[in-house]
Amino acid sequence: NSDAGSYVCTVMSGSLSVMSNTATLTVYGPPVIKDNPTSSDVPLNKSMTLTCRATGLGALVYSWGQRISGSGWTIVSDDNTTSYTTNTSLAIGQYMYRCRVRNEAGSVVSNRATVNVYGPPTIRTDPMSQLTTVGMNVTLNCEGTGGRLI
């Protein structure tokens, strides 16, 4: 980038000289990721939007990749947009996403974002009905699974 700037050519012959028109030199570098996509949890059958932003000279071209645990990266969007909306038909599980941004000088890949798709909570063990006398402590147990239990 230090060579970028405006240049002129001067031709001299004895005491005479002539200057060329100004030429501008623009030095491209690969894009730089400014905003990485963010990891999050999403309920089953819901979509979410991931966003990635980069800076750089020239036309920036965006694409999105997805990785399912145990597999390689697959391009899921080559629409040249700074955001990607996940599919609502994702199964329960963990998915990773990243964006790739390129220009004439090269490309850069964002940090990956992990999307955890979780299902609805279910009751594994119902509380048992009990009979007690006045003043006695009683414990009712219940166990749930799935979802994001609180």
Side-chain angles (χ1 to χ4, degrees), residues 27-111:
V27 180
Y28 282 72
V32 175
I33 299 288
K34 291 297 181 187
D35 296 317
N36 284 287
T38 305
S39 297
S40 66
D41 296 334
V42 61
L44 186 65
N45 299 321
K46 299 289 183 185
S47 63
M48 68 161 299
T49 300
L50 300 164
T51 302
C52 174
R53 289 190 184 8
T55 59
L57 294 175
L60 299 181
V61 179
Y62 289 80
S63 62
W64 287 87
Q66 177 192 60
R67 182 177 181 194
I68 301 170
S69 296
S71 69
W73 288 96
T74 302
I75 292 179
V76 292
S77 174
D78 210 7
D79 294 341
N80 194 25
T81 60
T82 59
S83 62
Y84 173 72
T85 300
T86 62
N87 192 325
T88 58
S89 65
L90 293 175
I92 294 171
Q94 186 176 78
Y95 303 84
M96 288 173 272
Y97 294 90
R98 66 183 184 187
C99 77
R100 176 181 297 273
V101 185
R102 68 182 193 280
N103 66 5
E104 293 176 19
S107 66
V108 64
V109 176
S110 71
N111 293 341

